[in-house]
Amino acid sequence: TAHQPIALHDTVIQDIETMAPKAETTPKVEELESENTSGGGGGGGNNAADKRNVSFEDEAGFVGQWTLGFLTPVLRFGATKALETTDLGTVKSKTRAEPSYGGVKAEWDKTLQLSLKSGDRPNLAAAIFRAYGPSHFYVAMIYYVVSALLGFVPILILGDIVAYFEQPNHETMVDPWIEVAALGVLPTIIGILQTRHNVVMTHLGVYVRTAVSMLTYHATLRASSYSRGLSSTGEVINIMANDAQQLQRFLSFVGLTLVAPLQIIIAIYLIYNEIGNAVWVGVGFMIVLGPINGLIFGQVSKLRRMVLKHSDKRVKLISEILGGIRIIKFNAWEDPFNETIQNIRQLEMNALTKLAYVIAIGFSLILLSAPILQPVLVFATYTANNTLTASKAFSVIALFNIMRFPFAFLPMGLVQYAQAMIAMGRV
């Protein structure tokens, strides 16, 4: 009987894998994929039998993966009928349940052994990071950094072109026609790099969510009676559902959160070269918002913990009610238990409402309006003693527009980081 939990776990792993849709059930998509081979959507789709256990992305070539050309057959087929699960092929091999769990479990066992020797607390995040492969994450971050830096080049070109038409004697950095062509090519390159970054981070998010869910499931099977008493059923369910989802959601903000300070610094430097000391008015405005950001982050983190606390209590009570539903029916206790659930749910809704208000007021009214007020203050300061030319105005406005996105979403990324740390602590 001691080996039954392991057998059950292996059975669930096999069931998850057998639930993956097979390519043989989607002949129409494969036919469309074979027609799209020239666009980099994948290898030849003529031999459907060889692709039964391979996803469209695994079969895609270099061009197909970078341009997401392997999705073209699916999208084209979706234009003719409503897509079903069997039309999407199998999932990417690296993000399936068994490889995700196997890799993380091996690294987690090593981490536990090292923590027993050193006495330090084991780090699950580091184990997942090593299992997935640090190189994938670093390459994805390089994609995002390069795309963020390239985003400043069109602004410099725009200012140069406007100055060329504004001042007859102005010499451009290169031939004006080359600059015009670059204005069309650079956004395409930036979009491709950001798309590739998003694809890698999405796969990492799915990998993390799958690994955390499977580790939690494995731990519940092997937990002793004493260990099971330390946590409730509702807490375990929330870890596998909400907390794992929160970790996946945070990974979509990692690139923006890490690169946003660099974008803001570069934008401020370029604005300083255009309008001089007037830029420090904008910098001071950002510094003033610092304590407000800290207050918002603290409130969001506090309310998030409160929501999870009430959610765990509610799920635990519902599980206990379902387990003893026969006794509850025999004694006609439906109304008292329903009232108890409603009271807990009301506390949870109150916390969620406060969290929604904090996010709406803190982000929408304060943080999102800041990039609009900032250039107004800067231009008012600059025009008090200087003449604002068209080239400076276009360049500064474009730089403020670039800074608006990281400035607005950086706090959101930090909030996601705080919530992810809470989720990781619960796991």
Side-chain angles (χ1 to χ4, degrees), residues 121 123-126 243 246-247 250-251 254 301 304-305 308 413-427:
R121 182 177 180 180
N123 192 337
L124 177 59
D243 293 334
Q246 182 59 50
L247 295 174
F250 163 68
L251 290 172
V254 167
S301 179
R304 179 66 179 173
R305 289 192 182 95
L308 291 175
L414 295 177
V415 169
Q416 294 295 331
Y417 171 77
Q419 294 181 356
M421 291 300 100
I422 296 174
M424 184 60 70
R426 286 163 52 87
V427 174

PDB file of all heavy atoms in Angstrom, residues 121 123-126 243 246-247 250-251 254 301 304-305 308 413-427:
ATOM      1  N   ARG A 121      16.715  27.618   3.868  1.00  0.00           N
ATOM      2  CA  ARG A 121      15.381  27.283   3.367  1.00  0.00           C
ATOM      3  C   ARG A 121      15.459  26.973   1.876  1.00  0.00           C
ATOM      4  O   ARG A 121      16.071  27.732   1.114  1.00  0.00           O
ATOM      5  CB  ARG A 121      14.418  28.443   3.607  1.00  0.00           C
ATOM      6  CG  ARG A 121      12.986  28.155   3.162  1.00  0.00           C
ATOM      7  CD  ARG A 121      12.074  29.323   3.485  1.00  0.00           C
ATOM      8  NE  ARG A 121      10.710  29.052   3.054  1.00  0.00           N
ATOM      9  CZ  ARG A 121       9.698  29.905   3.209  1.00  0.00           C
ATOM     10  NH1 ARG A 121       9.928  31.082   3.793  1.00  0.00           N
ATOM     11  NH2 ARG A 121       8.496  29.578   2.785  1.00  0.00           N
ATOM     12  N   ASN A 123      14.743  26.856  -2.015  1.00  0.00           N
ATOM     13  CA  ASN A 123      14.192  27.867  -2.916  1.00  0.00           C
ATOM     14  C   ASN A 123      13.548  27.173  -4.108  1.00  0.00           C
ATOM     15  O   ASN A 123      14.234  26.668  -4.995  1.00  0.00           O
ATOM     16  CB  ASN A 123      15.307  28.815  -3.383  1.00  0.00           C
ATOM     17  CG  ASN A 123      14.751  30.043  -4.083  1.00  0.00           C
ATOM     18  OD1 ASN A 123      13.634  30.032  -4.592  1.00  0.00           O
ATOM     19  ND2 ASN A 123      15.532  31.112  -4.098  1.00  0.00           N
ATOM     20  N   LEU A 124      12.208  27.144  -4.128  1.00  0.00           N
ATOM     21  CA  LEU A 124      11.497  26.493  -5.225  1.00  0.00           C
ATOM     22  C   LEU A 124      11.654  27.264  -6.527  1.00  0.00           C
ATOM     23  O   LEU A 124      11.778  26.660  -7.601  1.00  0.00           O
ATOM     24  CB  LEU A 124      10.012  26.360  -4.868  1.00  0.00           C
ATOM     25  CG  LEU A 124       9.103  25.752  -5.942  1.00  0.00           C
ATOM     26  CD1 LEU A 124       9.556  24.351  -6.307  1.00  0.00           C
ATOM     27  CD2 LEU A 124       7.655  25.737  -5.464  1.00  0.00           C
ATOM     28  N   ALA A 125      11.667  28.591  -6.452  1.00  0.00           N
ATOM     29  CA  ALA A 125      11.800  29.394  -7.667  1.00  0.00           C
ATOM     30  C   ALA A 125      13.118  29.108  -8.381  1.00  0.00           C
ATOM     31  O   ALA A 125      13.163  29.000  -9.613  1.00  0.00           O
ATOM     32  CB  ALA A 125      11.689  30.882  -7.328  1.00  0.00           C
ATOM     33  N   ALA A 126      14.187  28.976  -7.613  1.00  0.00           N
ATOM     34  CA  ALA A 126      15.492  28.674  -8.219  1.00  0.00           C
ATOM     35  C   ALA A 126      15.491  27.291  -8.862  1.00  0.00           C
ATOM     36  O   ALA A 126      16.081  27.090  -9.931  1.00  0.00           O
ATOM     37  CB  ALA A 126      16.593  28.771  -7.163  1.00  0.00           C
ATOM     38  N   ASP A 243      -2.813  30.469  -6.967  1.00  0.00           N
ATOM     39  CA  ASP A 243      -1.401  30.816  -6.792  1.00  0.00           C
ATOM     40  C   ASP A 243      -0.565  30.430  -8.009  1.00  0.00           C
ATOM     41  O   ASP A 243       0.320  31.182  -8.426  1.00  0.00           O
ATOM     42  CB  ASP A 243      -0.842  30.146  -5.532  1.00  0.00           C
ATOM     43  CG  ASP A 243      -1.476  30.701  -4.264  1.00  0.00           C
ATOM     44  OD1 ASP A 243      -1.929  31.854  -4.300  1.00  0.00           O
ATOM     45  OD2 ASP A 243      -1.523  29.982  -3.255  1.00  0.00           O
ATOM     46  N   GLN A 246      -1.220  32.956 -10.580  1.00  0.00           N
ATOM     47  CA  GLN A 246      -0.571  34.231 -10.268  1.00  0.00           C
ATOM     48  C   GLN A 246       0.898  34.216 -10.677  1.00  0.00           C
ATOM     49  O   GLN A 246       1.419  35.216 -11.193  1.00  0.00           O
ATOM     50  CB  GLN A 246      -0.689  34.519  -8.767  1.00  0.00           C
ATOM     51  CG  GLN A 246      -0.080  35.848  -8.342  1.00  0.00           C
ATOM     52  CD  GLN A 246      -0.701  37.023  -9.048  1.00  0.00           C
ATOM     53  OE1 GLN A 246      -1.917  37.169  -9.090  1.00  0.00           O
ATOM     54  NE2 GLN A 246       0.129  37.867  -9.620  1.00  0.00           N
ATOM     55  N   LEU A 247       1.580  33.101 -10.473  1.00  0.00           N
ATOM     56  CA  LEU A 247       2.972  32.991 -10.902  1.00  0.00           C
ATOM     57  C   LEU A 247       3.076  33.095 -12.418  1.00  0.00           C
ATOM     58  O   LEU A 247       3.982  33.757 -12.941  1.00  0.00           O
ATOM     59  CB  LEU A 247       3.557  31.656 -10.418  1.00  0.00           C
ATOM     60  CG  LEU A 247       3.682  31.479  -8.899  1.00  0.00           C
ATOM     61  CD1 LEU A 247       4.145  30.071  -8.562  1.00  0.00           C
ATOM     62  CD2 LEU A 247       4.633  32.510  -8.313  1.00  0.00           C
ATOM     63  N   PHE A 250       2.578  36.758 -13.431  1.00  0.00           N
ATOM     64  CA  PHE A 250       3.724  37.628 -13.146  1.00  0.00           C
ATOM     65  C   PHE A 250       4.794  37.522 -14.224  1.00  0.00           C
ATOM     66  O   PHE A 250       5.425  38.525 -14.584  1.00  0.00           O
ATOM     67  CB  PHE A 250       4.317  37.270 -11.776  1.00  0.00           C
ATOM     68  CG  PHE A 250       5.706  37.798 -11.555  1.00  0.00           C
ATOM     69  CD1 PHE A 250       5.935  39.158 -11.428  1.00  0.00           C
ATOM     70  CD2 PHE A 250       6.790  36.935 -11.500  1.00  0.00           C
ATOM     71  CE1 PHE A 250       7.215  39.649 -11.243  1.00  0.00           C
ATOM     72  CE2 PHE A 250       8.066  37.413 -11.311  1.00  0.00           C
ATOM     73  CZ  PHE A 250       8.285  38.779 -11.179  1.00  0.00           C
ATOM     74  N   LEU A 251       4.994  36.325 -14.755  1.00  0.00           N
ATOM     75  CA  LEU A 251       6.043  36.134 -15.749  1.00  0.00           C
ATOM     76  C   LEU A 251       5.791  36.937 -17.021  1.00  0.00           C
ATOM     77  O   LEU A 251       6.725  37.255 -17.751  1.00  0.00           O
ATOM     78  CB  LEU A 251       6.191  34.647 -16.081  1.00  0.00           C
ATOM     79  CG  LEU A 251       6.792  33.803 -14.951  1.00  0.00           C
ATOM     80  CD1 LEU A 251       6.709  32.325 -15.286  1.00  0.00           C
ATOM     81  CD2 LEU A 251       8.231  34.213 -14.691  1.00  0.00           C
ATOM     82  N   VAL A 254       7.565  40.299 -16.349  1.00  0.00           N
ATOM     83  CA  VAL A 254       8.964  40.323 -15.925  1.00  0.00           C
ATOM     84  C   VAL A 254       9.793  41.238 -16.822  1.00  0.00           C
ATOM     85  O   VAL A 254      10.556  42.096 -16.349  1.00  0.00           O
ATOM     86  CB  VAL A 254       9.549  38.896 -15.920  1.00  0.00           C
ATOM     87  CG1 VAL A 254      11.059  38.939 -15.785  1.00  0.00           C
ATOM     88  CG2 VAL A 254       8.959  38.096 -14.781  1.00  0.00           C
ATOM     89  N   SER A 301      -0.961  44.701  -1.713  1.00  0.00           N
ATOM     90  CA  SER A 301      -0.425  43.482  -1.111  1.00  0.00           C
ATOM     91  C   SER A 301      -1.235  43.076   0.115  1.00  0.00           C
ATOM     92  O   SER A 301      -1.554  41.890   0.307  1.00  0.00           O
ATOM     93  CB  SER A 301       1.044  43.699  -0.734  1.00  0.00           C
ATOM     94  OG  SER A 301       1.572  42.542  -0.124  1.00  0.00           O
ATOM     95  N   ARG A 304      -4.640  41.770  -0.991  1.00  0.00           N
ATOM     96  CA  ARG A 304      -4.495  40.472  -1.649  1.00  0.00           C
ATOM     97  C   ARG A 304      -4.397  39.348  -0.621  1.00  0.00           C
ATOM     98  O   ARG A 304      -5.021  38.288  -0.781  1.00  0.00           O
ATOM     99  CB  ARG A 304      -3.253  40.491  -2.547  1.00  0.00           C
ATOM    100  CG  ARG A 304      -2.977  39.186  -3.267  1.00  0.00           C
ATOM    101  CD  ARG A 304      -4.058  38.869  -4.268  1.00  0.00           C
ATOM    102  NE  ARG A 304      -3.779  37.624  -4.963  1.00  0.00           N
ATOM    103  CZ  ARG A 304      -4.612  37.039  -5.797  1.00  0.00           C
ATOM    104  NH1 ARG A 304      -5.781  37.587  -6.057  1.00  0.00           N
ATOM    105  NH2 ARG A 304      -4.293  35.905  -6.387  1.00  0.00           N
ATOM    106  N   ARG A 305      -3.628  39.567   0.436  1.00  0.00           N
ATOM    107  CA  ARG A 305      -3.528  38.559   1.499  1.00  0.00           C
ATOM    108  C   ARG A 305      -4.887  38.334   2.157  1.00  0.00           C
ATOM    109  O   ARG A 305      -5.259  37.202   2.487  1.00  0.00           O
ATOM    110  CB  ARG A 305      -2.513  39.000   2.541  1.00  0.00           C
ATOM    111  CG  ARG A 305      -1.064  38.954   2.076  1.00  0.00           C
ATOM    112  CD  ARG A 305      -0.131  39.135   3.254  1.00  0.00           C
ATOM    113  NE  ARG A 305       1.255  39.152   2.832  1.00  0.00           N
ATOM    114  CZ  ARG A 305       1.954  40.254   2.573  1.00  0.00           C
ATOM    115  NH1 ARG A 305       1.350  41.434   2.688  1.00  0.00           N
ATOM    116  NH2 ARG A 305       3.211  40.190   2.197  1.00  0.00           N
ATOM    117  N   LEU A 308      -7.097  36.174  -0.130  1.00  0.00           N
ATOM    118  CA  LEU A 308      -6.698  34.773  -0.094  1.00  0.00           C
ATOM    119  C   LEU A 308      -7.105  34.100   1.213  1.00  0.00           C
ATOM    120  O   LEU A 308      -7.493  32.922   1.231  1.00  0.00           O
ATOM    121  CB  LEU A 308      -5.181  34.663  -0.298  1.00  0.00           C
ATOM    122  CG  LEU A 308      -4.658  35.025  -1.692  1.00  0.00           C
ATOM    123  CD1 LEU A 308      -3.139  34.998  -1.711  1.00  0.00           C
ATOM    124  CD2 LEU A 308      -5.220  34.087  -2.745  1.00  0.00           C
ATOM    125  N   GLY A 413       3.600  45.952 -12.754  1.00  0.00           N
ATOM    126  CA  GLY A 413       4.553  44.853 -12.697  1.00  0.00           C
ATOM    127  C   GLY A 413       5.058  44.606 -11.291  1.00  0.00           C
ATOM    128  O   GLY A 413       5.240  43.453 -10.873  1.00  0.00           O
ATOM    129  N   LEU A 414       5.278  45.696 -10.532  1.00  0.00           N
ATOM    130  CA  LEU A 414       5.725  45.540  -9.149  1.00  0.00           C
ATOM    131  C   LEU A 414       4.621  44.919  -8.288  1.00  0.00           C
ATOM    132  O   LEU A 414       4.905  44.134  -7.371  1.00  0.00           O
ATOM    133  CB  LEU A 414       6.141  46.904  -8.586  1.00  0.00           C
ATOM    134  CG  LEU A 414       7.360  47.540  -9.255  1.00  0.00           C
ATOM    135  CD1 LEU A 414       7.632  48.924  -8.666  1.00  0.00           C
ATOM    136  CD2 LEU A 414       8.591  46.657  -9.125  1.00  0.00           C
ATOM    137  N   VAL A 415       3.381  45.272  -8.576  1.00  0.00           N
ATOM    138  CA  VAL A 415       2.269  44.654  -7.848  1.00  0.00           C
ATOM    139  C   VAL A 415       2.205  43.161  -8.157  1.00  0.00           C
ATOM    140  O   VAL A 415       2.007  42.331  -7.255  1.00  0.00           O
ATOM    141  CB  VAL A 415       0.940  45.350  -8.218  1.00  0.00           C
ATOM    142  CG1 VAL A 415      -0.244  44.555  -7.686  1.00  0.00           C
ATOM    143  CG2 VAL A 415       0.919  46.761  -7.661  1.00  0.00           C
ATOM    144  N   GLN A 416       2.378  42.813  -9.435  1.00  0.00           N
ATOM    145  CA  GLN A 416       2.391  41.400  -9.804  1.00  0.00           C
ATOM    146  C   GLN A 416       3.544  40.666  -9.119  1.00  0.00           C
ATOM    147  O   GLN A 416       3.403  39.506  -8.725  1.00  0.00           O
ATOM    148  CB  GLN A 416       2.495  41.254 -11.326  1.00  0.00           C
ATOM    149  CG  GLN A 416       1.288  41.764 -12.084  1.00  0.00           C
ATOM    150  CD  GLN A 416       0.039  40.970 -11.790  1.00  0.00           C
ATOM    151  OE1 GLN A 416       0.088  39.784 -11.483  1.00  0.00           O
ATOM    152  NE2 GLN A 416      -1.113  41.625 -11.882  1.00  0.00           N
ATOM    153  N   TYR A 417       4.681  41.347  -8.991  1.00  0.00           N
ATOM    154  CA  TYR A 417       5.821  40.738  -8.298  1.00  0.00           C
ATOM    155  C   TYR A 417       5.479  40.482  -6.828  1.00  0.00           C
ATOM    156  O   TYR A 417       5.780  39.406  -6.285  1.00  0.00           O
ATOM    157  CB  TYR A 417       7.034  41.654  -8.403  1.00  0.00           C
ATOM    158  CG  TYR A 417       8.200  41.224  -7.538  1.00  0.00           C
ATOM    159  CD1 TYR A 417       9.011  40.162  -7.914  1.00  0.00           C
ATOM    160  CD2 TYR A 417       8.480  41.876  -6.332  1.00  0.00           C
ATOM    161  CE1 TYR A 417      10.070  39.749  -7.124  1.00  0.00           C
ATOM    162  CE2 TYR A 417       9.540  41.478  -5.541  1.00  0.00           C
ATOM    163  CZ  TYR A 417      10.335  40.414  -5.939  1.00  0.00           C
ATOM    164  OH  TYR A 417      11.375  40.013  -5.147  1.00  0.00           O
ATOM    165  N   ALA A 418       4.848  41.477  -6.179  1.00  0.00           N
ATOM    166  CA  ALA A 418       4.480  41.297  -4.775  1.00  0.00           C
ATOM    167  C   ALA A 418       3.493  40.146  -4.609  1.00  0.00           C
ATOM    168  O   ALA A 418       3.624  39.313  -3.692  1.00  0.00           O
ATOM    169  CB  ALA A 418       3.879  42.600  -4.233  1.00  0.00           C
ATOM    170  N   GLN A 419       2.516  40.068  -5.499  1.00  0.00           N
ATOM    171  CA  GLN A 419       1.536  38.984  -5.412  1.00  0.00           C
ATOM    172  C   GLN A 419       2.174  37.634  -5.724  1.00  0.00           C
ATOM    173  O   GLN A 419       1.807  36.616  -5.136  1.00  0.00           O
ATOM    174  CB  GLN A 419       0.380  39.267  -6.366  1.00  0.00           C
ATOM    175  CG  GLN A 419      -0.440  40.487  -5.983  1.00  0.00           C
ATOM    176  CD  GLN A 419      -1.597  40.731  -6.932  1.00  0.00           C
ATOM    177  OE1 GLN A 419      -1.748  40.025  -7.927  1.00  0.00           O
ATOM    178  NE2 GLN A 419      -2.409  41.726  -6.639  1.00  0.00           N
ATOM    179  N   ALA A 420       3.138  37.619  -6.657  1.00  0.00           N
ATOM    180  CA  ALA A 420       3.829  36.371  -6.967  1.00  0.00           C
ATOM    181  C   ALA A 420       4.667  35.891  -5.792  1.00  0.00           C
ATOM    182  O   ALA A 420       4.761  34.677  -5.529  1.00  0.00           O
ATOM    183  CB  ALA A 420       4.720  36.549  -8.212  1.00  0.00           C
ATOM    184  N   MET A 421       5.299  36.811  -5.066  1.00  0.00           N
ATOM    185  CA  MET A 421       6.064  36.424  -3.890  1.00  0.00           C
ATOM    186  C   MET A 421       5.156  35.853  -2.805  1.00  0.00           C
ATOM    187  O   MET A 421       5.519  34.910  -2.095  1.00  0.00           O
ATOM    188  CB  MET A 421       6.829  37.641  -3.343  1.00  0.00           C
ATOM    189  CG  MET A 421       7.955  38.124  -4.246  1.00  0.00           C
ATOM    190  SD  MET A 421       9.236  36.857  -4.541  1.00  0.00           S
ATOM    191  CE  MET A 421       8.758  36.238  -6.159  1.00  0.00           C
ATOM    192  N   ILE A 422       3.949  36.434  -2.681  1.00  0.00           N
ATOM    193  CA  ILE A 422       2.990  35.864  -1.728  1.00  0.00           C
ATOM    194  C   ILE A 422       2.580  34.456  -2.143  1.00  0.00           C
ATOM    195  O   ILE A 422       2.510  33.541  -1.315  1.00  0.00           O
ATOM    196  CB  ILE A 422       1.751  36.789  -1.629  1.00  0.00           C
ATOM    197  CG1 ILE A 422       2.156  38.155  -1.040  1.00  0.00           C
ATOM    198  CG2 ILE A 422       0.667  36.148  -0.780  1.00  0.00           C
ATOM    199  CD1 ILE A 422       1.021  39.181  -1.052  1.00  0.00           C
ATOM    200  N   ALA A 423       2.308  34.302  -3.441  1.00  0.00           N
ATOM    201  CA  ALA A 423       1.920  32.973  -3.942  1.00  0.00           C
ATOM    202  C   ALA A 423       3.047  31.962  -3.763  1.00  0.00           C
ATOM    203  O   ALA A 423       2.801  30.821  -3.360  1.00  0.00           O
ATOM    204  CB  ALA A 423       1.520  33.080  -5.419  1.00  0.00           C
ATOM    205  N   MET A 424       4.284  32.368  -4.040  1.00  0.00           N
ATOM    206  CA  MET A 424       5.404  31.456  -3.899  1.00  0.00           C
ATOM    207  C   MET A 424       5.618  31.080  -2.433  1.00  0.00           C
ATOM    208  O   MET A 424       5.971  29.932  -2.107  1.00  0.00           O
ATOM    209  CB  MET A 424       6.675  32.094  -4.465  1.00  0.00           C
ATOM    210  CG  MET A 424       7.899  31.178  -4.457  1.00  0.00           C
ATOM    211  SD  MET A 424       7.661  29.675  -5.426  1.00  0.00           S
ATOM    212  CE  MET A 424       7.641  30.362  -7.093  1.00  0.00           C
ATOM    213  N   GLY A 425       5.382  32.029  -1.531  1.00  0.00           N
ATOM    214  CA  GLY A 425       5.490  31.723  -0.104  1.00  0.00           C
ATOM    215  C   GLY A 425       4.446  30.725   0.353  1.00  0.00           C
ATOM    216  O   GLY A 425       4.710  29.898   1.226  1.00  0.00           O
ATOM    217  N   ARG A 426       3.249  30.773  -0.234  1.00  0.00           N
ATOM    218  CA  ARG A 426       2.198  29.817   0.110  1.00  0.00           C
ATOM    219  C   ARG A 426       2.502  28.434  -0.439  1.00  0.00           C
ATOM    220  O   ARG A 426       2.161  27.421   0.177  1.00  0.00           O
ATOM    221  CB  ARG A 426       0.853  30.300  -0.432  1.00  0.00           C
ATOM    222  CG  ARG A 426       0.258  31.442   0.340  1.00  0.00           C
ATOM    223  CD  ARG A 426      -0.837  32.146  -0.449  1.00  0.00           C
ATOM    224  NE  ARG A 426      -1.833  31.217  -0.947  1.00  0.00           N
ATOM    225  CZ  ARG A 426      -2.892  30.821  -0.257  1.00  0.00           C
ATOM    226  NH1 ARG A 426      -3.082  31.273   0.976  1.00  0.00           N
ATOM    227  NH2 ARG A 426      -3.776  30.008  -0.786  1.00  0.00           N
ATOM    228  N   VAL A 427       3.139  28.384  -1.617  1.00  0.00           N
ATOM    229  CA  VAL A 427       3.493  27.091  -2.204  1.00  0.00           C
ATOM    230  C   VAL A 427       4.552  26.416  -1.358  1.00  0.00           C
ATOM    231  O   VAL A 427       4.514  25.227  -1.082  1.00  0.00           O
ATOM    232  CB  VAL A 427       3.990  27.269  -3.651  1.00  0.00           C
ATOM    233  CG1 VAL A 427       4.504  25.960  -4.214  1.00  0.00           C
ATOM    234  CG2 VAL A 427       2.862  27.820  -4.516  1.00  0.00           C
TER     235      VAL A 427
END
